[in-house]
């Protein structure tokens, strides 16, 4: 595993939190995951979950996380305040806020649970696509810094492509707003709940593929359901995972997109949804 | 419109909140919307949104609502406490808790926004199905009270059916966990954000269709993205809306399902997702 000079993966650097007091953490944004304005939303989401998972009394593993992006996160320090809303026998409900200058810039709810073996089935379809080794990374382009920390191999729906789909699009496999891409941390890093949470925001906004046009956008709310345990994620290691994302509806300044994240062997790791503001 | 003796629709009775203090409301569960244990989750979700929409300083209309069901809601009174986390120029972020006996039984986050005309498209498919008038309501069966307050006309995936799909299932149109159903309030009631929020939980748990088997279940988290304005909803009036719901994955005690709610003319009103606990 390639590392920073200090031996820490850049994602772990970005997500590092120091305890300040009971239910109170301190962190700071990382230049490595900078977006056009402020940090990549995936790291903000993962930071809020990191605070919950850092609590000594957290019960089990994450099942559902919703992150609401309330305002632009400024580059620099932030506080994270957690609250255990309810602890049951096998589930726990959390509310988390990221605070800068005494104002909430992001919030999250998380449900964690002790899980156990039951009957199971997957109804979503694992698509047959070429493996990542047969696909090329996107060509270098003017892109925000965070994208350099993900190896992305688009099967289709590459918003930076130069193909037939339009000025920014390569077409999207028959669906007007779909992208299918292999993705992993760059440098490689073993998969866990934090990196998976951030990966759930690596799908580019569907409007870039759909129009295709780069309009101003911002995710306002993002929900992820985890189907895997920490052990399952550990078994994926630092391999690529397959993301399949598509939009449902665009209108009156907001669109929503839904996506699945699959382990290379066809195991569904997470379903993730978000609603995104757009201009024009 | 058919009404209760007091002239109030039973849903409005169930969602009625009285102001107690700043950001503090009082309500109580309704026998009309009772579930197996406690109230129907759809009314709990709509109650939390009702508190936000009841605030004098609410900005615009709901875009995203996530409700977390933290514990069984007991029949009887409850408090609802709201908090405006952040107010921006065109969006507002809310956190809401339902409290009984000084403990949180449900919480929600909501994003409201002033919306405006933009480019728009719908990528989800509006299915070609028979109109509600050509379909029969489900046969009377031993069912919880809340279901009597919804007129449901299943196209396929009726968990109470007696057809070919299994002991509780009529098959589900080629998808193993899909239901397509026309639904409206019973008695009819003009559609608004509150009734639409409750309708987003009318889809029965997919596991009843998938196995098909009635196992103990409970929704733990539910997210709805609204694509319609209040004016759009008003135009639907008290007509049936079409729900299309299917599961993604069942495993280790939790499954997730995603659904769309369509106006009869094929306009997408909402996308909604939930993760559900199940036993066995």
């Amino acid at each position: 595993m390639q590392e920073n000079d200090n031996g820490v993966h850049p994602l772990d650097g970005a997500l590092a939190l120091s305890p300040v007091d009971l239910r109170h953490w301190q962190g700071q944004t990382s230049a490595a995951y900078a977006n056009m304005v402020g940090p990549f939303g995936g790291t903000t989401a993962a930071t809020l979950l990191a605070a919950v998972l850092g609590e000594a009394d957290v019960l089990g593993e994450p099942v559902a996380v919703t992150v609401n992006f309330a305002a632009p996160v400024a580059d620099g320090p932030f506080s994270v305040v957690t609250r255990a809303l309810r602890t049951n026998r096998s589930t726990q409900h959390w509310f988390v806020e990221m605070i800068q200058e005494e104002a909430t810039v992001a919030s999250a709810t998380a449900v964690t649970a002790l899980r156990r073996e039951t009957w199971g089935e997957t109804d979503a379809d694992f698509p047959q696509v070429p493996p990542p080794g047969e696909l090329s990374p996107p060509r270098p382009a003017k892109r925000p810094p965070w994208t350099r920390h993900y190896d992305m191999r688009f099967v289709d729906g590459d918003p930076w492509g130069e193909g037939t789909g339009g000025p920014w699009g390569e077409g999207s496999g028959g669906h007007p707003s779909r992208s299918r891409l292999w993705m992993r941390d760059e440098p490689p890093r073993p998969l866990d709940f934090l990196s998976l949470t951030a990966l759930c925001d690596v799908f580019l906004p569907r409007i870039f593929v759909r129009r295709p046009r780069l309009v101003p956008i911002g995710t306002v709310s993002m929900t992820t359901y985890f189907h895997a345990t920490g052990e399952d994620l550990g078994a994926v290691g630092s391999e690529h995972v397959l993301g399949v994302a598509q939009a449902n509806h665009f209108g009156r300044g907001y669109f929503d997109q839904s996506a699945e994240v699959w382990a290379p062997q066809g195991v569904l790791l997470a379903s993730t949804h978000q609603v995104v503001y757009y201009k024009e």
Side-chain angles (χ1 to χ4, degrees), chain A residues 165-229:
Chain A
W168 285 271
E170 274 192 350
S172 37
H175 186 285
S177 65
R178 190 172 67 190
S179 292
R180 299 185 296 184
L181 67 155
W182 292 103
M183 51 191 189
R184 65 157 170 74
D185 287 295
E186 178 60 41
R189 176 189 177 281
L191 192 64
D192 59 17
F193 286 109
L194 300 183
S195 61
L196 179 54
T197 297
L199 281 162
C200 284
D201 197 36
V202 165
F203 312 108
L204 281 297
R206 300 296 87 209
I207 199 166
F208 294 177
V209 175
R210 182 60 165 86
R211 293 202 67 171
R213 195 170 149 188
L214 293 171
V215 296
I217 61 95
T219 298
V220 294
S221 187
M222 172 181 168
T223 289
T224 299
Y225 302 138
F226 296 102
H227 304 302
T229 62

